[in-house]
């Protein structure tokens, strides 16, 4: 796991298998983003069996096989899709290609687990909704900043237990380190990555819907800008947005590519959740100028002030729930409606954003 580069951030947890070896077989394809390693780690720790890997770029496959030597290299995507043993395909393709790949996977009778952002246009979203309806397959999304961060998982558990009452406001900060020389060309092409609110903003909107219990929301206003990257004119290096949920809860979030080199990790991700009976602060990846590391959570309610160090304490239940959902056709890990609604709102936030640097 690289602490310096968010593109290759791949958390590892304790194995917590929900199935036996060979009981749930999956494949990996579309290795364009390093999040594929986190996706596979999570599935393997939950007991899934990795059978195949496919990508047209041999170097990407070789790199993948160094981390997951149990996988076999497929000669084509068709070889993966024709294998009746494979129940799910995990993928982290170029964002603009994720929808088309997922549609192929689902039409082959398999569930699909894509990196965020799952779409770069509303047209893609509508097409994929139809494919899900036609096939009955799942189009699940790796919203890693909630499902693969122990402090974020624990925050959801506290809210469910009523620790802060009804959630009325969520504020999120998602700064990332740019590492421009290490990024692929597509990363700087808006048609391919979708824009900052569509891309890393999708994490923030998904968390708002989840923590505040919203089924829908409205984007009140949003902004983007390119403040410091004239060599990459299509890059949004800054973005923010304000949303109002269908239950009256509100959100403000900011995302950017301005993590300074002096920070010990790739981004100081924070979240502040206000409830009618308390507040939660999540310090996801670092607790500045201390040796505590990330996954720190602070809770204040009528019982007092509490600090939780959650490193290695909570695990990542999403992946086991996803496997069971695929087997039993349930929706406990994440509903399809929720995955699509978060995607829709990040697309709308990007579409209506004012460029403040023009």
């Amino acid at each position: 796991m690289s602490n310096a580069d968010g593109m290759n951030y791949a958390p590892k947890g304790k194995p917590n298998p929900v199935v036996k070896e060979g009981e749930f077989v999956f494949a990996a394809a579309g290795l364009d983003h390093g999040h594929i390693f986190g996706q596979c780690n999570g599935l393997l720790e939950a007991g899934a069996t990795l059978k195949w890997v496919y990508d047209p770029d041999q170097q990407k496959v070789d790199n993948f096989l160094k981390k997951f030597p149990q996988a076999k290299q497929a000669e084509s995507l068709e070889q993966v899709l024709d294998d009746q043993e494979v129940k799910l395909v995990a993928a982290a393709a170029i964002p603009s290609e994720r929808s088309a790949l997922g549609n192929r996977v689902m039409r082959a009778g398999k569930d699909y687990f894509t990196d965020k952002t799952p779409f770069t246009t509303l047209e893609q979203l509508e097409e994929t909704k139809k494919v899900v309806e036609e096939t009955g397959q799942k189009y699940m999304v790796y919203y890693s900043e909630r499902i693969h961060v122990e402090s974020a998982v624990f925050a959801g558990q506290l809210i469910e237990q009523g620790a802060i009452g009804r959630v009325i406001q969520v504020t999120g900060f998602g700064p990332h380190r740019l590492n421009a020389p290490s990024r692929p060309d597509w990363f700087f092409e808006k048609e391919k990555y979708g824009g900052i609110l569509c891309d890393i903003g999708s994490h923030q909107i998904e968390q708002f819907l989840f923590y505040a219990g919203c089924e829908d929301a409205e984007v009140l206003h949003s902004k983007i800008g390119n403040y410091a990257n004239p060599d990459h004119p299509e890059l949004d290096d800054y973005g923010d947005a304000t949303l109002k949920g269908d239950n009256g809860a509100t959100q403000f979030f900011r995302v950017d590519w301005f993590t300074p080199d002096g920070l010990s990790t790739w981004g100081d991700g924070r979240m502040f959740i206000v409830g009618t009976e308390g507040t939660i602060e999540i310090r996801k990846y670092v607790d500045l100028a201390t040796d505590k590391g990330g996954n720190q959570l602070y809770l204040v309610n009528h019982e007092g002030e509490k600090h939780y160090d959650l490193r290695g304490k909570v695990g990542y239940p999403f992946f086991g729930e996803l496997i069971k959902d695929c087997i039993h056709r349930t929706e406990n890990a994440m509903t399809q409606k929720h995955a699509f609604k978060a995607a829709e709102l990040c697309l709308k936030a990007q579409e209506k954003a004012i460029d403040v640097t023009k």
Side-chain angles (χ1 to χ4, degrees):
M1 180 173 75
S2 170
N3 282 334
D5 183 0
M7 191 162 184
N8 294 303
Y9 183 73
K12 285 188 176 180
K14 296 175 183 175
N16 186 23
V18 298
V19 286
K20 296 173 184 173
E21 176 70 25
E23 196 176 340
F24 186 82
V25 176
F26 78 102
L31 311 180
D32 295 284
H33 199 293
H35 281 169
I36 190 66
F37 301 115
Q39 293 169 259
C40 291
N41 283 343
L43 290 166
L44 290 167
E45 288 162 8
T49 301
L50 175 57
K51 183 173 181 180
W52 296 106
V53 58
Y54 173 72
D55 192 279
D57 185 331
Q58 186 62 45
Q59 188 174 350
K60 288 187 176 75
V61 173
D62 291 342
N63 188 34
F64 185 91
L65 290 172
K66 286 176 187 172
K67 291 181 171 67
F68 303 110
Q70 69 269 47
K72 295 187 288 186
Q73 181 175 356
E75 294 179 6
S76 65
L77 182 62
E78 287 72 25
Q79 187 174 10
V80 173
L81 299 183
D82 289 343
D83 188 339
Q84 295 302 305
E85 268 197 328
V86 174
K87 304 301 180 190
L88 176 140
V89 175
I94 293 170
S96 59
E97 299 173 7
R98 289 171 182 170
S99 174
L101 175 58
N103 295 343
R104 285 185 67 186
V105 168
M106 292 187 293
R107 284 180 170 132
K110 304 179 191 312
D111 293 320
Y112 183 61
F113 181 37
T114 179
D115 187 21
K116 66 77 222 157
T117 185
F119 310 100
T120 53
T121 70
L122 288 165
E123 290 76 19
Q124 291 173 0
L125 170 61
E126 290 309 312
E127 183 185 3
T128 291
K129 280 183 177 179
K130 291 175 184 173
V131 178
V132 166
E133 199 172 325
E134 288 166 14
T135 64
Q137 301 300 140
K138 295 181 182 295
Y139 192 103
M140 286 291 102
V141 184
Y142 181 59
Y143 291 115
S144 57
E145 290 188 20
R146 180 176 66 83
I147 66 173
H148 225 165
V149 175
E150 286 181 291
S151 52
V153 173
F154 188 64
Q157 294 170 354
L158 286 173
I159 291 166
E160 188 177 5
Q161 292 161 16
I164 62 169
R166 174 189 165 201
V167 172
I168 59 172
Q169 210 282 332
V170 178
T171 300
F173 301 101
H176 286 58
R177 179 173 285 130
L178 183 57
N179 281 335
S182 70
R183 300 286 180 175
D185 291 343
W186 61 259
F187 181 87
F188 301 102
E189 299 174 31
K190 192 162 280 191
E191 187 180 345
K192 292 185 177 178
Y193 80 91
I196 194 169
L197 298 177
C198 175
D199 181 21
I200 52 179
S202 63
H203 287 298
Q204 301 294 324
I205 291 175
E206 189 276 332
Q207 287 171 99
F208 169 57
L209 295 177
F210 179 79
Y211 291 134
C214 303
E215 291 190 9
D216 201 353
E218 176 189 359
V219 179
L220 298 181
H221 51 81
S222 53
K223 304 190 294 289
I224 56 172
N226 182 322
Y227 283 95
N229 291 276
D231 293 346
H232 301 293
E234 293 187 34
L235 177 71
D236 302 333
D237 58 23
Y238 175 87
D240 66 44
T242 303
L243 285 80
K244 180 176 77 74
D246 57 357
N247 59 5
T250 66
Q251 176 190 35
F252 170 80
F253 73 85
R254 185 204 78 218
V255 286
D256 65 69
W257 293 102
F258 288 111
T259 292
D261 289 344
L263 190 73
S264 58
T265 188
W266 55 267
D268 183 14
R270 301 274 184 110
M271 185 145 286
F272 300 83
I273 306 170
V274 179
T276 54
E277 297 174 31
T279 60
I280 290 171
E281 178 187 349
I282 311 169
R283 302 182 184 180
K284 293 185 179 181
Y285 309 112
V286 63
D287 199 3
L288 285 181
T290 74
D291 58 3
K292 286 189 289 195
N295 280 304
Q296 308 298 318
L297 184 145
Y298 297 85
L299 168 67
V300 184
N301 60 14
H302 63 278
E303 295 179 2
E305 306 168 4
K306 292 182 183 177
H307 166 233
Y308 298 88
D309 183 342
L310 297 160
R311 291 173 293 177
K313 306 271 179 65
V314 180
Y316 308 115
F318 171 87
F319 299 92
E321 292 296 337
L322 174 60
I323 290 169
K324 291 188 286 185
D325 283 347
C326 292
I327 293 171
H328 302 300
R329 311 317 292 171
T330 49
E331 286 197 312
N332 296 316
M334 181 184 293
T335 68
Q336 189 63 73
K337 184 180 178 182
H338 175 85
F340 282 158
K341 182 55 67 174
E344 175 194 328
L345 291 169
C346 76
L347 289 163
K348 287 182 175 178
Q350 184 71 45
E351 193 175 66
K352 73 183 297 182
I354 299 166
D355 190 331
V356 292
T357 55
K358 286 184 177 176

